[in-house]
Amino acid sequence: MKFFLDTADIKEIREAHDLGLIDGVTTNPSLVAKTGKPFHKVAEEILKVVDGPISLEVVARDTSHMIKEARILSKIHKNVVPKIPLTREGLKAVKVLSTEGISINQTLCFSATQALLSAKAGAAYISPFIGRLDDISHDGLQLIQDIVTIYQNYGFQTEVLVASIRHPLHVLEAAKMGAHVATMPFKVLEQLINHPLTDMGLEKFLKDWEKVPGNKIV
Ligand code: E4P
């Protein structure tokens, strides 16, 4: 399973990158706005740190302008994956861009049938937002299972990029389902690392180590 960081905060990206476990980054206009920096500056900073797919979202709503923005974004750097919303106009844009060989992350997916259309249009990634579905009492993880099954049934190459992740259980269940990518906030990445039994166990080992004669490794 690939791990992407879902943030535009360069400090978080640097810290996560230092772990050596981050394969890419996803951003959206809200995340970029939170940084208070100009869009191109944010993109440049991220591209310098992470050598993997970096999703940058288009803001146009009609097909021709989406295509124009996505082409410009894809020319910034080979790692840029333009992100296009899953609308009627967005599907048309994905079809054109994927035919040109541009990898697209199709975002704001909330149903399996939307995901089916996106795969048919040739998206490289589909981003189902599971936390936002849970927020309105729909089962976000069930959507992941449905999409994984459908894509397997027909051999679609589109990768399932689980988005709007809120907690470690989302990552765990999505991994069991075979989703290709999980994009998560920095906080969730940290939650995946930490376990109180690890901390307690280490505390006890080091206490006992004090009793070992000489207690030195180097
Ligand atoms: C995905 O690419 C989105 O940026 C993100 O996962 C949205 O998550 P949210 O629902 O926490 O805003």
Side-chain angles (χ1 to χ4, degrees):
M1 187 185 223
K2 283 176 263 186
F3 275 14
F4 289 0
L5 207 63
D6 193 30
T7 183
D9 183 324
I10 196 64
K11 276 195 201 136
E12 290 183 346
I13 292 169
R14 281 203 188 100
E15 208 175 318
H17 178 256
D18 279 351
L19 270 175
L21 301 174
I22 292 302
D23 303 295
V25 174
T26 51
T27 69
N28 62 41
S30 308
L31 293 171
V32 174
K34 266 199 217 168
T35 68
K37 297 178 194 170
F39 172 74
H40 284 281
K41 167 97 183 135
V42 172
E44 188 190 326
E45 285 178 344
I46 299 172
L47 286 159
K48 269 190 201 151
V49 177
V50 179
D51 184 15
I54 311 296
S55 290
L56 301 176
E57 191 156 339
V58 304
V59 289
R61 301 186 73 165
D62 65 284
T63 305
S64 66
H65 287 98
M66 282 177 176
I67 291 172
K68 193 174 168 198
E69 288 182 0
R71 284 184 185 140
I72 290 170
L73 291 174
S74 71
K75 281 189 186 119
I76 295 177
H77 191 282
K78 66 173 174 45
N79 286 343
V80 171
V81 176
K83 217 172 168 188
I84 293 188
L86 213 160
T87 57
R88 176 188 294 259
E89 297 292 298
L91 283 167
K92 288 196 278 182
V94 170
K95 180 71 191 176
V96 171
L97 292 159
S98 64
T99 308
E100 288 174 13
I102 298 177
S103 292
I104 301 293
N105 173 1
Q106 190 134 42
T107 189
L108 288 167
C109 169
F110 292 96
S111 80
T113 43
Q114 283 183 318
L116 177 56
L117 296 177
S118 186
K120 283 181 72 65
Y125 301 93
I126 183 72
S127 286
F129 279 34
I130 62 173
R132 292 192 194 188
L133 279 172
D134 289 356
D135 289 346
I136 57 159
S137 304
H138 281 257
D139 187 348
L141 282 164
Q142 184 56 51
L143 173 60
I144 301 303
Q145 184 61 75
D146 290 346
I147 298 172
V148 168
T149 303
I150 291 167
Y151 283 9
Q152 277 171 0
N153 284 349
Y154 297 101
F156 284 119
Q157 296 302 301
T158 306
E159 294 194 30
V160 181
L161 194 170
V162 184
S164 188
I165 282 177
R166 302 268 199 265
H167 48 70
L169 269 183
H170 275 155
V171 181
L172 174 67
E173 294 304 320
K176 289 200 284 194
M177 290 166 185
H180 306 86
V181 192
T183 188
M184 65 198 82
F186 185 67
K187 182 182 148 228
V188 174
L189 180 65
E190 287 196 308
Q191 288 173 322
L192 292 180
I193 299 170
N194 298 326
H195 199 291
L197 288 179
T198 304
D199 297 340
M200 284 161 62
L202 182 60
E203 204 59 33
K204 171 88 170 89
F205 285 158
L206 293 181
K207 227 178 201 155
D208 289 344
W209 179 249
E210 296 298 320
K211 300 172 198 157
V212 175
N215 65 11
K216 269 203 175 82
I217 293 178
V218 284

